[in-house]
Amino acid sequence: MDRKLLDLLVCPASHQPLHRLDSPQRDALNAAITRGELRRGDGRTETRSLTDALASRDGKQVYRIDDGIPVLLVEEALQTAGIDGLAAR
């Protein structure tokens, strides 16, 4: 993803800047998905693992990137308030 584009994107729910997850952050989320602990904004449990994603500055919402395209829909955002280490560094 182009850095200029990333600098323009904000979380549609909180309007915070977004940052790309690094490998340890993504691994932590995928482990939580495997355990069935992550819910989407629409209340459904997330079952698909992440290959790439963006997180809000505070790390409470995560948006998957599918085929290089960020999916910035509030109802599809992963609600990650209970997972440490996702905030921007």
Side-chain angles (χ1 to χ4, degrees):
M1 178 179 298
D2 186 282
R3 180 68 194 168
K4 289 180 185 180
L5 174 62
L6 182 57
D7 288 342
L8 295 174
L9 295 177
V10 297
C11 173
S14 67
H15 305 287
Q16 295 177 33
L18 296 170
H19 67 277
R20 197 172 214 154
L21 294 182
D22 60 25
S23 292
Q25 292 170 323
R26 193 175 55 250
D27 292 345
L29 281 179
N30 282 331
I33 290 169
T34 300
R35 293 188 302 268
E37 297 175 352
L38 282 186
R39 297 225 180 266
R40 296 171 16 153
D42 62 8
R44 294 188 301 171
T45 301
E46 181 60 63
T47 58
R48 297 180 298 156
S49 63
L50 299 171
T51 56
D52 203 0
L54 300 171
S56 58
R57 182 186 313 147
D58 62 9
K60 292 183 180 177
Q61 289 91 20
V62 171
Y63 299 89
R64 73 175 46 254
I65 299 174
D66 290 336
D67 297 321
I69 301 169
V71 182
L72 299 178
L73 301 172
V74 174
E75 59 272 8
E76 292 197 23
L78 299 176
Q79 306 303 309
T80 58
I83 298 177
D84 293 330
L86 298 180
R89 298 177 183 173

